[in-house]
Amino acid sequence: GAGVSQSPSNKVTEKGKDVELRCDPISGHTALYWYRQRLGQGLEFLIYFQGNSAPDKSGLPSDRFSAERTGESVSTLTIQRTQQEDSAVYLCASSPPTLTSGRLYNEQFFGPGTRLTVL
Amino acid sequence: KNEVEQSPQNLTAQEGEFITINCSYSVGISALHWLQQHPGGGIVSLFMLSSGKKKHGRLIATINIQEKHSSLHITASHPRDSAVYICAVRVGYGDKLIFGTGTRLQVFP
Protein backbone atom coordinates (compact mmCIF):
# COMPACT_ATOMS: atom_id res chain seq x y z
CA GLY A 1 0.00 0.00 0.00
CA ALA A 2 0.93 3.65 -0.22
CA GLY A 3 3.34 4.96 2.36
CA VAL A 4 3.61 8.39 3.93
CA SER A 5 4.06 11.03 1.25
CA GLN A 6 5.38 14.55 1.59
CA SER A 7 5.44 17.51 -0.74
CA PRO A 8 7.32 19.27 -2.04
CA SER A 9 10.42 17.09 -1.94
CA ASN A 10 12.62 20.16 -2.18
CA LYS A 11 11.86 23.79 -1.42
CA VAL A 12 14.19 26.74 -1.84
CA THR A 13 12.96 30.03 -0.45
CA GLU A 14 14.25 33.44 0.44
CA LYS A 15 14.72 34.59 3.98
CA GLY A 16 11.56 36.19 5.30
CA LYS A 17 9.13 34.28 3.09
CA ASP A 18 6.50 31.88 4.43
CA VAL A 19 6.52 28.19 3.43
CA GLU A 20 3.99 25.38 3.71
CA LEU A 21 5.01 21.75 3.83
CA ARG A 22 2.50 18.96 3.32
CA CYS A 23 2.25 15.45 4.72
CA ASP A 24 -0.16 12.73 3.64
CA PRO A 25 -0.12 9.95 6.25
CA ILE A 26 -0.91 6.33 5.63
CA SER A 27 -4.68 5.87 5.45
CA GLY A 28 -6.09 4.87 8.81
CA HIS A 29 -3.13 6.11 10.79
CA THR A 30 -4.40 8.28 13.61
CA ALA A 31 -1.05 9.57 14.86
CA LEU A 32 1.06 12.00 12.85
CA TYR A 33 4.44 13.44 13.79
CA TRP A 34 6.63 16.18 12.37
CA TYR A 35 10.39 16.11 12.86
CA ARG A 36 13.27 18.29 11.70
CA GLN A 37 16.75 17.14 10.78
CA ARG A 38 19.39 19.81 10.35
CA LEU A 39 22.49 19.00 8.38
CA GLY A 40 24.76 16.70 10.33
CA GLN A 41 22.42 16.57 13.30
CA GLY A 42 19.90 14.15 14.72
CA LEU A 43 16.15 14.33 14.33
CA GLU A 44 14.25 16.77 16.52
CA PHE A 45 10.62 16.34 17.45
CA LEU A 46 8.40 19.26 16.42
CA ILE A 47 4.74 18.41 16.86
CA TYR A 48 2.45 15.40 17.30
CA PHE A 49 -1.22 14.89 16.39
CA GLN A 50 -3.29 12.02 17.75
CA GLY A 51 -6.83 11.72 16.47
CA ASN A 52 -9.01 14.55 17.70
CA SER A 53 -6.90 15.30 20.76
CA ALA A 54 -5.13 18.62 21.17
CA PRO A 55 -1.75 18.42 19.42
CA ASP A 56 1.49 18.24 21.39
CA LYS A 57 3.31 21.34 20.19
CA SER A 58 6.12 21.21 22.71
CA GLY A 59 8.84 20.73 20.11
CA LEU A 60 8.05 23.74 17.95
CA PRO A 61 11.14 25.99 18.13
CA SER A 62 9.35 29.33 17.85
CA ASP A 63 5.98 30.92 17.20
CA ARG A 64 6.93 31.16 13.53
CA PHE A 65 6.21 27.44 13.32
CA SER A 66 2.67 26.07 13.26
CA ALA A 67 0.96 22.94 12.02
CA GLU A 68 -2.55 21.85 11.29
CA ARG A 69 -4.18 18.54 10.59
CA THR A 70 -7.57 17.99 9.06
CA GLY A 71 -9.19 15.14 10.95
CA GLU A 72 -7.00 12.07 10.51
CA SER A 73 -5.68 13.00 7.10
CA VAL A 74 -3.40 15.61 5.61
CA SER A 75 -1.19 17.83 7.76
CA THR A 76 0.55 21.06 6.84
CA LEU A 77 3.55 22.53 8.62
CA THR A 78 3.85 26.28 8.13
CA ILE A 79 6.98 28.28 8.77
CA GLN A 80 6.48 32.04 8.70
CA ARG A 81 9.20 34.59 8.02
CA THR A 82 11.76 31.85 7.33
CA GLN A 83 15.29 32.23 8.63
CA GLN A 84 18.46 30.55 7.41
CA GLU A 85 18.57 28.37 10.52
CA ASP A 86 15.26 26.85 9.40
CA SER A 87 17.12 25.08 6.59
CA ALA A 88 16.70 21.37 7.25
CA VAL A 89 14.93 18.24 6.13
CA TYR A 90 11.42 18.16 7.56
CA LEU A 91 10.16 14.63 8.08
CA CYS A 92 6.65 13.44 8.73
CA ALA A 93 5.72 10.09 10.24
CA SER A 94 2.45 8.36 11.01
CA SER A 95 1.46 5.38 13.10
CA PRO A 96 -1.66 3.25 13.36
CA PRO A 97 -4.14 3.46 16.23
CA THR A 98 -3.04 1.54 19.29
CA LEU A 99 -6.52 0.07 19.75
CA THR A 100 -6.11 -2.04 16.63
CA SER A 101 -2.68 -3.29 17.60
CA GLY A 102 -3.40 -3.87 21.26
CA ARG A 103 -0.20 -2.06 22.12
CA LEU A 104 0.30 1.10 24.09
CA TYR A 105 2.36 2.54 21.24
CA ASN A 106 3.30 1.66 17.69
CA GLU A 107 6.20 2.00 15.33
CA GLN A 108 6.26 5.06 13.14
CA PHE A 109 6.33 5.04 9.35
CA PHE A 110 8.35 7.88 7.89
CA GLY A 111 7.85 9.90 4.75
CA PRO A 112 10.71 10.83 2.41
CA GLY A 113 11.01 14.33 3.84
CA THR A 114 11.03 17.85 2.43
CA ARG A 115 14.43 19.47 2.08
CA LEU A 116 14.03 23.17 2.87
CA THR A 117 16.76 25.61 1.95
CA VAL A 118 16.44 29.20 3.09
CA LEU A 119 18.75 31.54 1.20
CA LYS B 1 25.11 15.79 27.32
CA ASN B 2 22.54 14.22 24.98
CA GLU B 3 19.89 12.04 26.53
CA VAL B 4 20.56 9.41 23.85
CA GLU B 5 24.14 8.62 22.92
CA GLN B 6 25.24 6.34 20.13
CA SER B 7 28.62 4.81 19.43
CA PRO B 8 30.51 4.73 17.27
CA GLN B 9 29.58 7.80 15.23
CA ASN B 10 31.17 6.32 12.14
CA LEU B 11 31.91 2.72 11.31
CA THR B 12 33.50 1.07 8.31
CA ALA B 13 33.53 -2.67 7.73
CA GLN B 14 34.39 -5.25 5.13
CA GLU B 15 31.59 -7.30 3.65
CA GLY B 16 30.81 -10.27 5.86
CA GLU B 17 31.90 -8.70 9.13
CA PHE B 18 29.77 -8.72 12.27
CA ILE B 19 28.67 -5.19 13.17
CA THR B 20 27.64 -3.81 16.56
CA ILE B 21 26.18 -0.35 17.14
CA ASN B 22 25.54 0.80 20.68
CA CYS B 23 22.95 3.12 22.20
CA SER B 24 22.90 4.41 25.78
CA TYR B 25 20.21 6.62 27.25
CA SER B 26 19.81 8.51 30.49
CA VAL B 27 16.03 8.80 30.82
CA GLY B 28 13.25 6.41 31.76
CA ILE B 29 11.79 4.92 28.64
CA SER B 30 8.86 2.77 27.61
CA ALA B 31 10.31 1.68 24.27
CA LEU B 32 13.38 1.99 22.10
CA HIS B 33 13.42 2.18 18.32
CA TRP B 34 16.15 1.40 15.85
CA LEU B 35 15.77 3.21 12.54
CA GLN B 36 17.72 3.02 9.29
CA GLN B 37 18.25 6.10 7.15
CA HIS B 38 19.56 5.53 3.65
CA PRO B 39 21.45 8.06 1.54
CA GLY B 40 18.73 10.27 0.10
CA GLY B 41 17.07 10.47 3.50
CA GLY B 42 14.42 7.74 3.61
CA ILE B 43 13.89 6.38 7.11
CA VAL B 44 12.75 2.84 7.83
CA SER B 45 11.81 1.49 11.22
CA LEU B 46 13.83 -1.64 11.97
CA PHE B 47 12.82 -2.53 15.51
CA MET B 48 10.73 -1.32 18.38
CA LEU B 49 11.53 -3.08 21.65
CA SER B 50 10.98 -2.62 25.35
CA SER B 51 12.78 -5.68 26.69
CA GLY B 52 14.94 -8.61 25.66
CA LYS B 53 15.90 -9.27 22.10
CA LYS B 54 14.38 -9.18 18.62
CA LYS B 55 15.69 -10.68 15.39
CA HIS B 56 14.79 -9.94 11.81
CA GLY B 57 16.87 -11.56 9.13
CA ARG B 58 20.49 -10.56 9.69
CA LEU B 59 19.55 -7.89 12.21
CA ILE B 60 19.40 -8.42 15.94
CA ALA B 61 18.45 -5.82 18.54
CA THR B 62 18.89 -6.21 22.27
CA ILE B 63 18.00 -3.99 25.17
CA ASN B 64 19.02 -4.00 28.84
CA ILE B 65 16.57 -1.80 30.72
CA GLN B 66 18.55 -1.87 33.98
CA GLU B 67 21.73 -0.71 32.25
CA LYS B 68 19.85 1.70 29.92
CA HIS B 69 21.64 0.27 26.93
CA SER B 70 20.70 -1.24 23.59
CA SER B 71 22.73 -2.78 20.80
CA LEU B 72 22.00 -3.34 17.15
CA HIS B 73 23.91 -6.18 15.53
CA ILE B 74 24.26 -6.94 11.85
CA THR B 75 25.52 -10.39 10.96
CA ALA B 76 27.27 -11.09 7.64
CA SER B 77 27.25 -7.39 6.70
CA HIS B 78 26.71 -6.41 3.08
CA PRO B 79 27.36 -3.16 1.17
CA ARG B 80 23.61 -2.59 0.95
CA ASP B 81 23.61 -2.28 4.76
CA SER B 82 25.47 1.01 4.35
CA ALA B 83 23.27 3.65 5.95
CA VAL B 84 22.87 5.74 9.07
CA TYR B 85 21.45 3.77 11.98
CA ILE B 86 19.48 5.82 14.50
CA CYS B 87 18.47 4.93 18.02
CA ALA B 88 15.38 6.67 19.42
CA VAL B 89 13.69 6.34 22.79
CA ARG B 90 10.10 6.88 23.82
CA VAL B 91 10.23 8.75 27.12
CA GLY B 92 7.90 7.44 29.79
CA TYR B 93 4.54 6.59 28.28
CA GLY B 94 4.36 9.64 26.07
CA ASP B 95 4.49 9.62 22.34
CA LYS B 96 7.52 11.75 21.64
CA LEU B 97 10.77 10.19 20.53
CA ILE B 98 14.21 11.46 21.48
CA PHE B 99 16.79 10.58 18.88
CA GLY B 100 20.47 9.79 18.96
CA THR B 101 22.67 11.46 16.38
CA GLY B 102 23.11 8.26 14.42
CA THR B 103 25.90 5.90 13.43
CA ARG B 104 27.09 6.11 9.85
CA LEU B 105 27.95 2.62 8.60
CA GLN B 106 29.84 1.92 5.40
CA VAL B 107 30.33 -1.67 4.32
CA PHE B 108 32.89 -2.22 1.57
CA PRO B 109 32.92 -5.23 -0.77
Side-chain angles (χ1 to χ4, degrees):
Chain A
V4 178
S5 61
Q6 291 186 245
S7 61
S9 55
N10 281 284
K11 176 73 177 176
V12 180
T13 190
E14 293 179 347
K15 178 181 170 181
K17 294 282 178 74
D18 297 352
V19 295
E20 260 191 16
L21 312 179
R22 177 186 168 110
C23 172
D24 283 88
I26 293 172
S27 178
H29 281 196
T30 53
L32 186 147
Y33 307 79
W34 281 99
Y35 299 98
R36 176 173 72 175
Q37 187 174 34
R38 289 168 160 163
L39 187 63
Q41 298 187 22
L43 285 102
E44 303 170 73
F45 166 81
L46 296 177
I47 187 169
Y48 158 64
F49 295 90
Q50 174 62 276
N52 295 320
S53 303
D56 179 347
K57 304 180 182 179
S58 59
L60 294 178
S62 78
D63 59 8
R64 296 186 296 104
F65 287 72
S66 63
E68 291 185 352
R69 187 180 186 196
T70 308
E72 294 183 352
S73 60
V74 172
S75 176
T76 55
L77 176 69
T78 302
I79 309 173
Q80 296 178 309
R81 304 181 302 283
T82 52
Q83 304 293 312
Q84 288 181 332
E85 64 261 27
D86 299 334
S87 296
V89 175
Y90 289 83
L91 288 148
C92 174
S94 69
S95 61
T98 53
L99 283 175
T100 57
S101 70
R103 296 173 174 170
L104 288 174
Y105 32 78
N106 282 316
E107 66 179 309
Q108 296 179 19
F109 296 82
F110 285 81
T114 294
R115 184 175 299 277
L116 174 65
T117 304
V118 182
L119 301 175
Chain B
K1 183 172 164 47
N2 292 335
E3 292 165 301
V4 182
E5 299 272 359
Q6 287 185 236
S7 64
Q9 288 188 320
N10 291 282
L11 184 56
T12 57
Q14 288 295 125
E15 183 173 357
E17 285 186 7
F18 181 84
I19 304 291
T20 295
I21 299 170
N22 296 298
C23 176
S24 296
Y25 51 91
S26 58
V27 293
I29 71 167
S30 54
L32 183 144
H33 299 247
W34 280 102
L35 308 170
Q36 181 191 55
Q37 185 171 32
H38 275 285
I43 294 179
V44 174
S45 178
L46 299 175
F47 293 104
M48 182 180 71
L49 65 166
S50 54
S51 64
K53 174 180 172 179
K54 286 191 175 180
K55 184 175 189 292
H56 185 251
R58 294 180 296 106
L59 300 176
I60 303 167
T62 63
I63 187 168
N64 185 317
I65 296 294
Q66 287 72 33
E67 294 185 5
K68 295 188 174 178
H69 181 269
S70 175
S71 293
L72 177 69
H73 305 285
I74 306 174
T75 61
S77 59
H78 189 277
R80 64 173 174 267
D81 297 328
S82 299
V84 175
Y85 291 83
I86 302 168
C87 170
V89 301
R90 185 180 297 273
V91 179
Y93 288 95
D95 293 284
K96 287 186 287 192
L97 294 180
I98 300 175
F99 296 85
T101 52
T103 294
R104 183 174 300 277
L105 170 66
Q106 288 185 293
V107 182
F108 294 99

